[in-house]
Amino acid sequence: MGVKLVRIDDRLIHGQVATTWIKNYEIEQVLIINDKAANDPIQKSVVGLAAPPGVKVMIFGVNQFINILKKSEIKKSTMLLFTTSTDVLKIVESGLVDIKEVNAGGMRFNDTRKRLTKAISVTPEEEQAFVKMMDKGIKINVQMVPKDTSVDFKTLI
């Protein structure tokens, strides 16, 4: 049990996550780690609607999640879902979760981001967070759905 999948997807829970990733990893709970979502009452009220029946969804701010990890361990089969690599790095640097691999599935392009693939665009800070995680031995793969070929993030930068 414990953390089965760490995914970055700025769309949070949507069809691909609900129908493929959760099913493939036999996820019992999805923990969304994002300050903006944690402080948005509307997002908090609807985010669980996209999850399959029986899958619990909870939202935490980054520091809130770190404080929870200090008091208890993750016992259920869990997906940690983030919107940015910088938030993942904060959790990694807390030393409270042993993250060996991160799946990057969606970071949308905008004027402040450099496009790396059709689905992944990064700010300089986000790119640096990915580099720091790789320097710590964490494997970063880019993959929209499990049946797609996984691309090693190292080949993109």
Side-chain angles (χ1 to χ4, degrees), residues 8-10 83-86 106-116 119-127 130:
I8 300 171
D9 193 327
D10 60 14
T83 60
T84 71
S85 57
T86 53
M107 296 172 74
R108 283 177 271 201
F109 178 77
N110 65 32
D111 292 344
T112 64
R113 293 172 167 228
K114 172 175 76 173
R115 187 181 306 272
L116 300 178
I120 303 294
S121 298
V122 293
T123 64
E125 182 185 26
E126 291 164 342
E127 186 172 11
F130 278 122

Side-chain angles (χ1 to χ4, degrees), residues 31-35 60-62 65 80-83 87 91:
L31 305 181
I32 295 170
I33 316 302
N34 179 265
D35 291 332
F60 302 102
V62 178
F65 185 61
L80 298 182
L81 187 55
F82 296 85
T83 60
D87 288 348
I91 299 302

Side-chain angles (χ1 to χ4, degrees), residues 7-12 14 16-17 21 82-85 103-110 113-123 126 130 140-145 148-151 153 156:
R7 180 170 168 88
I8 300 171
D9 193 327
D10 60 14
R11 298 167 294 173
L12 297 174
H14 55 88
Q16 291 172 342
V17 170
W21 293 105
F82 296 85
T83 60
T84 71
S85 57
N103 168 258
M107 296 172 74
R108 283 177 271 201
F109 178 77
N110 65 32
R113 293 172 167 228
K114 172 175 76 173
R115 187 181 306 272
L116 300 178
T117 72
K118 184 175 105 181
I120 303 294
S121 298
V122 293
T123 64
E126 291 164 342
F130 278 122
I140 312 289
N141 66 66
V142 177
Q143 192 175 20
M144 294 296 289
V145 293
D148 289 349
T149 302
S150 177
V151 176
F153 193 87
L156 302 175

Side-chain angles (χ1 to χ4, degrees), residues 91-109:
I91 299 302
V92 166
E93 289 179 338
S94 78
L96 298 168
V97 179
D98 185 23
I99 296 175
K100 294 184 181 349
E101 187 171 338
V102 174
N103 168 258
M107 296 172 74
R108 283 177 271 201
F109 178 77

Side-chain angles (χ1 to χ4, degrees), residues 85-86 89-90 92-93 124-138 140 153 157:
S85 57
T86 53
L89 181 62
K90 288 175 190 170
V92 166
E93 289 179 338
E125 182 185 26
E126 291 164 342
E127 186 172 11
Q128 192 58 38
F130 278 122
V131 169
K132 285 180 180 178
M133 285 188 280
M134 290 185 294
D135 287 347
K136 293 177 180 295
I138 297 171
I140 312 289
F153 193 87
I157 55 172

Side-chain angles (χ1 to χ4, degrees), residues 2 29 68-76 78 96-97:
Q29 69 179 0
I68 289 168
L69 289 172
K70 288 177 182 176
K71 298 173 189 160
S72 62
E73 62 184 82
I74 297 171
K75 295 180 181 153
K76 291 184 176 185
T78 301
L96 298 168
V97 179

